[in-house]
């Protein structure tokens, strides 16, 4: 444990440490976003066939099923979570923790899932407790 000559010195040192930690979080989140984007763009969604029983019309949705995905942080009270809420667009989740909604990639659930999974892999490598979730629209 470090010893400080004054409370002012301790506060200044803690502020510097927090700024350095938050700067590393920004770099980590950018790496996670880049990995997610790369995964989403390299994903080949399985086309979805749609049938209207009323008219008998059939068509194909090239981007696959419509849906949603998100990156979830298991705990909302960690240092990374506090940073993510204020700086990376994460929000409180009703089941606890925080989440980041994947809004890009039109309605393609496959691409959004690929983004969320790849982003979580990067975060987990750095010790962040997170997981990807998704659901069909």
């Amino acid at each position: 444990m470090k010893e400080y000559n004054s409370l002012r010195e301790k506060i200044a040192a803690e502020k510097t440490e927090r700024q350095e930690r938050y700067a590393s979080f920004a770099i980590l989140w950018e790496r996670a976003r880049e990995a997610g984007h790369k995964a989403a763009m390299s994903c080949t969604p399985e086309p979805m066939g749609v049938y209207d029983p009323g008219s008998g019309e059939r068509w194909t949705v090239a981007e696959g099923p419509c849906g949603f995905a998100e990156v979830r942080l298991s705990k909302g009270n960690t240092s990374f979570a506090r940073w993510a809420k204020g700086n990376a667009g994460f929000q409180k989740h009703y089941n606890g923790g925080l989440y980041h909604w994947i809004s890009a990639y039109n309605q393609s659930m496959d691409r959004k899932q690929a983004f969320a999974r790849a982003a979580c892999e990067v975060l987990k490598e750095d010790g962040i407790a997170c997981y990807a979730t998704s659901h069909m629209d």
Side-chain angles (χ1 to χ4, degrees):
M1 182 173 227
K2 287 186 178 180
E3 290 195 27
Y4 302 97
N5 293 326
S6 68
L7 180 59
R8 216 171 265 193
E9 186 179 298
K10 179 182 179 193
I11 291 170
E14 288 174 349
K15 181 179 179 182
T16 301
E17 288 171 9
R18 186 172 46 257
Q19 288 172 335
E20 290 170 357
R21 190 171 56 249
Y22 282 7
S24 72
F25 291 159
I27 293 166
L28 173 62
W29 178 241
E30 187 58 33
R31 281 190 8 244
R33 287 183 56 221
E34 287 172 2
H37 179 69
K38 184 177 178 182
M41 296 312 293
S42 65
C43 172
T44 305
E46 184 175 337
M48 176 179 70
V50 180
Y51 172 71
D52 182 355
S55 68
E57 185 180 1
R58 296 175 186 267
W59 63 94
T60 301
V61 179
E63 286 292 300
C66 299
F68 306 96
E70 59 193 20
V71 174
R72 287 235 194 118
L73 300 179
S74 302
K75 295 182 179 182
N77 61 352
T78 65
S79 185
F80 179 78
R82 285 189 296 275
W83 174 86
K85 187 175 178 188
N87 298 284
F90 279 74
Q91 300 173 8
K92 286 184 179 181
H93 194 274
Y94 63 87
N95 283 338
L98 299 176
Y99 74 98
H100 179 75
W101 189 260
I102 312 303
S103 59
Y105 315 109
N106 298 318
Q107 295 183 346
S108 176
M109 184 176 80
D110 292 342
R111 290 189 190 276
K112 291 177 183 195
Q113 284 176 326
F115 180 102
R117 289 180 186 135
C120 282
E121 285 179 27
V122 171
L123 295 174
K124 285 178 181 179
E125 287 172 3
D126 214 61
I128 306 298
C130 67
Y131 56 99
T133 66
S134 63
H135 62 276
M136 202 178 279
D137 187 13

